[in-house]
Amino acid sequence: MPQPFSNNQIKKRMSVLVFLKGTTAPLVLYVENPISLYEELMLILKQNSQIPKIIEKETLGPVKKVCILSTHICAVALQEEPFM
């Protein structure tokens, strides 16, 4: 009979979801401080500048480095997910 998972085995981590123009799935970024990245991207999104800036970030997940044009960002979200 399988043992149920205890609360000590399941941890939670946060990721930043970046929704881009022309894509159906969001870009999921795992970073050291997801809240600061979220706030940085939200600030860029609120500025709504027509001049594109390249945003380059190093991450901890399967995607190690990402470059995004600031004018291609539609929305940003934080996601909390369980992992073992």
Side-chain angles (χ1 to χ4, degrees), residues 10-65:
I10 299 176
K11 299 174 185 156
K12 292 185 180 183
R13 65 178 171 188
M14 290 186 84
S15 60
V16 179
L17 303 178
V18 182
F19 295 87
L20 302 171
K21 293 178 184 174
T23 64
T24 56
L27 185 61
V28 181
L29 303 176
Y30 298 98
V31 293
E32 287 286 331
N33 192 348
I35 295 173
S36 69
L37 177 60
Y38 171 79
E39 290 172 351
E40 178 184 342
L41 293 176
M42 282 301 295
L43 183 65
I44 290 169
L45 192 60
K46 285 179 184 177
Q47 289 175 350
N48 198 15
S49 175
Q50 298 301 320
I51 301 169
K53 290 185 345 185
I54 293 179
I55 303 164
E56 183 177 341
K57 296 292 178 186
E58 291 191 23
T59 65
L60 303 173
V63 177
K64 297 298 180 195
K65 193 175 235 186

Side-chain angles (χ1 to χ4, degrees), residues 62-76:
V63 177
K64 297 298 180 195
K65 193 175 235 186
V66 66
C67 292
I68 307 168
L69 278 174
S70 61
T71 55
H72 286 191
I73 299 174
C74 296
V76 181

